[in-house]
Amino acid sequence: MPLDATTNLAPLPLVNYDQRDGVYDVVIVGFGAAGTCAAIEAARAGASVLVVERTGGAGGAAALAEGILYLGGGTATQIAAGVLDTKEAMRAYLMVACGPEVDEAKIDAYVEGSVAHHDWLVDLGLEFEPSIDLETQMAPKGTEGLVWSGGENAWPFSEIAAPAPRGHLARTKRSTGWLLMQTLAEAAVAAGCEVLYDTKVERLLTDGDRVVGLEASRYGQPYIVQAKKAVVLCAGGFIYNDEMVAAHAPELLQGTWKVGTESDDGRGIQMGMALGAQTKSMHAGEVSLPIIPPRKLVEGILVNGFGQRFINEDTYMGRVGQAALYDQAATCFLIVDEACYEPNWMGIEAAWVCETVEELEQEMGLIPGALAGTVALYNRHAALGEDPMFHKAKNYVRPLVPPLGAFDLRPGVAPYAPFTLGGLATTVNGQVLHIDGTPIPGLYGAGRTTSGVCSFGYASGLSIGDSTFFGRLAGKAAAAEESR
Amino acid sequence: MPLDATTNLAPLPLVNYDQRDGVYDVVIVGFGAAGTCAAIEAARAGASVLVVERTGGAGGAAALAEGILYLGGGTATQIAAGVLDTKEAMRAYLMVACGPEVDEAKIDAYVEGSVAHHDWLVDLGLEFEPSIDLETQMAPKGTEGLVWSGGENAWPFSEIAAPAPRGHLARTKRSTGWLLMQTLAEAAVAAGCEVLYDTKVERLLTDGDRVVGLEASRYGQPYIVQAKKAVVLCAGGFIYNDEMVAAHAPELLQGTWKVGTESDDGRGIQMGMALGAQTKSMHAGEVSLPIIPPRKLVEGILVNGFGQRFINEDTYMGRVGQAALYDQAATCFLIVDEACYEPNWMGIEAAWVCETVEELEQEMGLIPGALAGTVALYNRHAALGEDPMFHKAKNYVRPLVPPLGAFDLRPGVAPYAPFTLGGLATTVNGQVLHIDGTPIPGLYGAGRTTSGVCSFGYASGLSIGDSTFFGRLAGKAAAAEESR
């Protein structure tokens, strides 16, 4: 449990230091999706802003991501693409998809501000092509600017709210994530922010209860910065800290593709906790299990280690990964027939192919009769075009005809791509809450250092969406603090 | 998210206060299973001890519990009852049953010290009858002193370690929990501890980084106590704080019987977090679903909302409750036939009885064919005396013969009895760990205010076992601190 003894997380009084390497109104820790947006808004509000970034460049985890932004309620891109969306439908979807126990105030703010946030991003120079990709829940092969990134058009969400594609991708020859972060970082610099790269924050500095600066280390030397208004923690999540993951979300240790950078080691969360901050949903993690494309693979059935179905195959791939890892003992197979079989987008092929389901379950090492019973039950209803158990959309439902194949989708064979969703508890404006329920004076946070709109459930684009949106709110609020 | 503004959790310097209502070497917060044992050991080590108890009496949640103590590795009671147990078997069981991601150092200490802890309890006057109850995993109707309280003799544990009954119950006409706590509280007073009832701790008091006392409130007045050596937090878990449960373990909100007292509102954990303590396994909760006795009910099969089996019916009832609530969307039914049917110990009867399985699944609102397929598969293997899917012990395995009945075991109908297992991260000796990995000077903890031997999995008797055992270690270590 003990961390590296050199981590120096415990806060100290600023008055202990004679040295001052800089004095700014607002000091932002991390120059990723949340940090850039906090920086832009703080600077535009007139604050002097320093961004302290641990690595050698801007972008954080978002620059490596596909860069989908989950936006809706009738964005200009949605309207131009002929998509009918409403705030009510978006809110109804998020309330269920992001649960259980969502932060309703954050969801309300996010839904209410989504259209304006879209326009703010467009004003920065991002272009979203008003067209919809139907094949994937990830970045399309083409230039389409909208994807169905959260399974909104599949059960159960299709019955909860009018579905709409809300995953927005900016037009670029490189990844949207790269373009997005390039754009945001340039906008922050253009707004007047200073950025200090290769600088690691060691601890927060205080004056009584108030956070008034930080001690960083830079090229082996201490670097002391005073923040006259506030410090904003935008330092990412903790998927790269195995010890923290084991303590809070051990299921995620089975994930093979860690979605983040090495800086996502929880240090931002720890710095808040060292000041008595409360946390929320530290157990939660998004775990994408990207099976499709090709989309016709969802005509097959997903089964667990007992040969039982456990989810509708056409749902969001993040829900499949979460269900497999958290609830199904990390065991998952996809059963297909010839009509829907094709190696998937990553080149993963069926691990077993057999003439009969009985042979297949034997080859797979399943209990005799288990998979056969599951296929028989599925086919019985599929013959009527129905999936009463998991409500897969009718267009993907038809009886499976032997010979059958099975993809092995267990961790280590298939990629599970996890990142953490839990973090510091904050107000809508990003104030970090002390365990006593009051804001810690001078301390803000946004992005995956905090618990955002997703308490557990997830849709692609919600982490960058939430990070950019609440990063802006935190930057504005920090700049509006009284100068001390 | 904000707590009641009057909670006053933020620590303050002791020097802010002129008032001193008491000065002791060791001050213990809470007089339950952990607090009494910490008090006994601290006082026996020569320390002056004050226990501050929020309620009007001793005992905490343990006094209301059945009071099973999970002890093994060859206790005198086990040996006298003819039970063969070893440290190795106990350790192998706990490593798996308490996982994932157990605190191995705590398990090692607990296993190594279990026989001596048994003798220490006997020395206090507790008697354990050297006989074994085979019918229940809870307190027997008779006077037997040993129960199989963790499913050690059922799959998967039966294949992991040589099974032994390790649930120890002291002989009494009232509950063992009541007797245990009566005995421990009397021993603490006999050892010289002072106890202050009806006194609520408001905040910890510090001198620099060190905890040196606490501010309590008593009959409306502040009560300031200085601790020359240490404060020990033994203030229970957080099952009675809905807001904390929602933030960390929302699944438990569905539980109907909260296992604890109103004081289990997380205040001890919060006071540690206010000083920057790290937490572990806050998502974890024990959720007993006490179906049996009668034990013959396990000849039936447990199914989820899709009519699928998900666990061996003869396993520990806490594993059934956890699986149902965390992994099966809180939906669970027990399917029985006439040969094993009987209303259970709480008088719960079958909610549905039908001549055929097809009628039954229709009555229950399950998908046509789902339960029928499950029963057919189960019966196919049960005819050979086998349960290859979930490995129920052979003596409970036989084909189910219609007519069939089904118990409705969903929350609200059946009782789910949850309490929280997560809490402050501590060393084996109870030192509360700061988020930077170092012990917080002067602060100890034990019991459900901390994360103990159970990271997620549980067996009956482990919470009181762990609380009493590590309470003792914390009390000893606190008394051994240098006086300041």
Side-chain angles (χ1 to χ4, degrees):
Chain A
M1 184 78 37
L3 302 172
D4 180 344
T6 64
T7 50
N8 299 332
L9 280 157
L12 285 175
L14 176 65
V15 294
N16 289 14
Y17 298 79
D18 289 331
Q19 183 184 348
R20 292 285 182 285
D21 297 291
V23 179
Y24 298 82
D25 291 327
V26 175
V27 181
I28 293 165
V29 182
F31 205 35
T36 51
C37 289
I40 294 167
E41 292 290 18
R44 288 185 178 178
S48 62
V49 177
L50 175 70
V51 180
V52 182
E53 164 60 37
R54 190 160 153 189
T55 73
L64 300 174
E66 295 190 315
I68 300 173
L69 289 143
Y70 199 91
L71 303 166
T75 68
T77 302
Q78 286 181 313
I79 292 167
V83 170
L84 184 68
D85 194 13
T86 63
K87 288 180 192 174
E88 291 69 30
M90 182 181 180
R91 184 180 191 282
Y93 168 80
L94 291 176
M95 286 295 290
V96 176
C98 297
E101 297 299 329
V102 294
D103 184 331
E104 202 165 337
K106 282 187 181 161
I107 288 194
D108 284 344
Y110 190 66
V111 169
E112 194 58 42
S114 191
V115 167
H117 189 50
H118 169 276
D119 296 344
W120 184 85
L121 292 162
V122 169
D123 284 346
L124 293 180
L126 297 170
E127 295 174 67
F128 302 102
E129 183 178 295
S131 55
I132 307 165
D133 175 86
L134 297 173
E135 183 65 17
T136 177
Q137 297 168 338
M138 303 180 291
K141 283 185 186 165
T143 59
E144 293 88 347
L146 288 169
V147 288
W148 293 87
S149 68
E152 300 86 348
N153 49 358
W155 190 86
F157 308 120
S158 54
E159 293 187 2
I160 289 165
R166 301 192 184 100
H168 285 62
L169 290 120
R171 196 196 312 247
T172 171
K173 287 184 181 162
R174 294 180 66 169
S175 80
T176 293
W178 175 85
L179 176 68
L180 175 70
M181 294 317 303
Q182 187 81 356
T183 303
L184 292 172
E186 284 173 8
V189 172
C193 301
E194 290 181 45
V195 186
L196 213 53
Y197 291 102
D198 296 311
T199 308
K200 180 183 178 188
V201 179
E202 297 291 347
R203 64 170 97 235
L204 296 171
L205 302 178
T206 55
D207 176 11
D209 288 343
R210 173 166 283 273
V211 174
V212 294
L214 51 81
E215 175 187 348
S217 61
R218 178 173 168 75
Y219 208 59
Q221 300 297 317
Y223 197 95
I224 310 298
V225 184
Q226 183 176 347
K228 289 161 67 183
K229 290 171 180 279
V231 171
V232 189
L233 296 173
C234 303
F238 61 97
I239 193 64
Y240 269 83
N241 184 329
D242 280 354
E243 201 173 301
M244 276 183 80
V245 174
H248 301 291
E251 292 84 354
L252 300 182
L253 290 175
Q254 303 167 97
T256 38
W257 287 2
K258 292 178 177 177
V259 177
T261 74
E262 286 188 3
S263 297
D264 288 307
D265 62 358
R267 199 167 176 83
I269 297 169
Q270 291 174 331
M271 284 191 288
M273 290 185 74
L275 279 165
Q278 58 178 289
T279 58
K280 176 166 166 35
S281 301
M282 292 289 282
H283 185 58
E286 155 63 3
V287 198
S288 189
L289 175 53
I291 308 163
I292 62 168
R295 193 150 185 96
K296 68 177 180 178
L297 283 174
V298 307
E299 294 173 19
I301 58 173
L302 289 164
V303 299
N304 64 16
F306 309 112
Q308 302 164 327
R309 288 180 75 208
F310 59 92
I311 201 164
N312 46 327
E313 293 76 12
D314 60 344
T315 189
Y316 171 55
M317 60 189 176
R319 296 184 77 229
V320 176
Q322 279 188 328
L325 224 52
Y326 281 88
D327 300 335
Q328 304 297 333
T331 309
C332 180
F333 307 99
L334 177 67
I335 312 299
V336 294
D337 64 8
E338 284 189 335
C340 67
Y341 179 66
E342 197 173 304
N344 86 345
W345 67 287
M346 291 185 300
I348 297 184
E349 299 184 5
W352 304 274
V353 179
C354 295
E355 289 301 315
T356 67
V357 65
E358 288 78 12
E359 287 172 50
L360 182 62
E361 63 189 9
Q362 191 181 352
E363 290 277 316
M364 294 170 68
L366 300 179
I367 303 313
L371 184 60
T374 297
V375 171
L377 179 64
Y378 178 76
N379 280 354
R380 167 182 166 177
H381 294 287
L384 307 171
E386 287 171 2
D387 173 22
M389 194 175 276
F390 292 107
H391 311 277
K392 180 159 64 175
K394 289 185 189 301
N395 49 319
Y396 301 119
V397 175
R398 56 167 182 77
L400 296 173
V401 182
L404 299 177
F407 288 84
D408 187 346
L409 299 176
R410 290 175 290 190
V413 183
Y416 285 69
F419 63 92
T420 59
L421 292 170
L424 301 175
T426 55
T427 66
V428 169
N429 283 323
Q431 292 174 293
V432 175
L433 291 170
H434 189 267
I435 192 73
D436 72 3
T438 62
I440 296 175
L443 188 63
Y444 287 77
R448 293 294 62 75
T449 301
T450 68
S451 174
V453 294
C454 296
S455 288
F456 190 83
Y458 190 73
S460 285
L462 273 177
S463 186
I464 296 180
D466 159 292
S467 295
T468 53
F469 183 83
F470 290 101
R472 291 178 59 203
L473 294 188
K476 278 185 207 176
E481 288 264 340
E482 193 185 327
S483 187
R484 284 169 179 89
Chain B
M1 186 75 40
L3 303 173
D4 180 344
T6 63
T7 51
N8 300 332
L9 280 158
L12 284 175
L14 177 65
V15 295
N16 289 14
Y17 297 78
D18 289 330
Q19 182 184 350
R20 294 284 183 285
D21 296 291
V23 180
Y24 297 83
D25 291 326
V26 175
V27 180
I28 293 166
V29 181
F31 205 36
T36 49
C37 289
I40 293 167
E41 292 289 19
R44 288 185 178 179
S48 63
V49 177
L50 175 71
V51 180
V52 182
E53 164 60 38
R54 191 160 152 190
T55 72
L64 299 174
E66 294 190 316
I68 301 172
L69 289 143
Y70 198 91
L71 303 167
T75 67
T77 302
Q78 286 181 314
I79 291 169
V83 170
L84 184 68
D85 194 11
T86 63
K87 288 181 191 174
E88 292 67 32
M90 183 181 179
R91 184 181 191 281
Y93 168 81
L94 291 176
M95 285 295 291
V96 176
C98 297
E101 297 300 328
V102 293
D103 184 330
E104 202 166 336
K106 281 186 181 161
I107 288 195
D108 283 344
Y110 190 66
V111 170
E112 195 58 43
S114 191
V115 167
H117 189 49
H118 170 277
D119 296 344
W120 184 85
L121 293 161
V122 169
D123 284 346
L124 291 180
L126 296 171
E127 293 174 70
F128 302 101
E129 181 177 298
S131 55
I132 308 165
D133 175 86
L134 296 173
E135 183 65 17
T136 177
Q137 297 166 339
M138 304 180 290
K141 283 186 187 165
T143 59
E144 293 87 348
L146 289 168
V147 287
W148 292 88
S149 67
E152 300 86 348
N153 50 356
W155 190 86
F157 307 121
S158 54
E159 293 187 1
I160 288 166
R166 301 193 184 98
H168 286 60
L169 290 121
R171 197 196 308 246
T172 171
K173 286 183 182 162
R174 295 180 67 169
S175 80
T176 292
W178 175 85
L179 176 68
L180 175 71
M181 295 315 304
Q182 186 82 354
T183 303
L184 292 171
E186 284 172 6
V189 172
C193 302
E194 289 182 44
V195 186
L196 213 54
Y197 291 102
D198 295 311
T199 307
K200 180 183 180 189
V201 178
E202 297 291 348
R203 64 173 95 234
L204 295 171
L205 302 178
T206 55
D207 175 10
D209 287 344
R210 172 167 283 272
V211 175
V212 294
L214 52 81
E215 176 187 348
S217 60
R218 177 172 170 75
Y219 208 58
Q221 300 298 317
Y223 198 94
I224 310 300
V225 184
Q226 182 176 347
K228 289 163 67 183
K229 291 171 180 278
V231 170
V232 189
L233 297 173
C234 303
F238 61 96
I239 194 64
Y240 269 83
N241 184 328
D242 280 354
E243 202 173 298
M244 276 184 81
V245 173
H248 302 292
E251 292 83 354
L252 300 183
L253 289 175
Q254 302 167 96
T256 38
W257 287 2
K258 292 178 178 178
V259 177
T261 74
E262 285 188 4
S263 297
D264 288 307
D265 63 356
R267 198 166 177 85
I269 297 169
Q270 291 173 333
M271 284 191 287
M273 290 184 75
L275 278 165
Q278 58 179 291
T279 58
K280 176 166 167 33
S281 302
M282 292 287 283
H283 184 58
E286 155 63 3
V287 198
S288 188
L289 175 53
I291 307 163
I292 61 168
R295 193 151 184 97
K296 68 178 181 179
L297 283 174
V298 307
E299 294 173 19
I301 57 173
L302 288 164
V303 299
N304 64 16
F306 308 112
Q308 302 164 328
R309 287 181 75 209
F310 60 91
I311 201 163
N312 47 328
E313 293 75 11
D314 60 344
T315 190
Y316 171 55
M317 61 190 175
R319 297 185 75 229
V320 176
Q322 279 189 327
L325 223 53
Y326 280 88
D327 301 336
Q328 305 296 334
T331 310
C332 180
F333 306 100
L334 176 67
I335 312 299
V336 294
D337 65 7
E338 285 190 335
C340 67
Y341 178 66
E342 198 174 303
N344 85 346
W345 67 287
M346 291 186 300
I348 297 185
E349 299 184 6
W352 304 275
V353 178
C354 295
E355 290 301 317
T356 68
V357 64
E358 289 76 13
E359 286 172 50
L360 182 62
E361 63 189 10
Q362 191 182 350
E363 290 278 316
M364 293 171 68
L366 301 178
I367 303 313
L371 183 60
T374 296
V375 170
L377 179 64
Y378 178 76
N379 280 355
R380 168 181 166 178
H381 294 287
L384 307 171
E386 288 171 3
D387 174 20
M389 194 175 275
F390 292 106
H391 310 278
K392 180 159 62 175
K394 288 185 191 302
N395 50 318
Y396 302 119
V397 176
R398 56 167 184 77
L400 295 173
V401 182
L404 298 176
F407 288 84
D408 187 346
L409 300 177
R410 291 176 290 191
V413 183
Y416 285 70
F419 62 93
T420 59
L421 291 171
L424 301 176
T426 55
T427 66
V428 168
N429 283 323
Q431 291 174 294
V432 175
L433 291 169
H434 189 268
I435 192 74
D436 71 3
T438 62
I440 297 175
L443 188 62
Y444 287 77
R448 293 292 64 76
T449 300
T450 69
S451 174
V453 294
C454 296
S455 288
F456 191 82
Y458 189 74
S460 285
L462 274 176
S463 186
I464 296 179
D466 160 293
S467 296
T468 52
F469 183 83
F470 290 101
R472 291 177 60 202
L473 294 188
K476 279 184 207 177
E481 288 262 341
E482 194 185 327
S483 187
R484 286 172 179 85

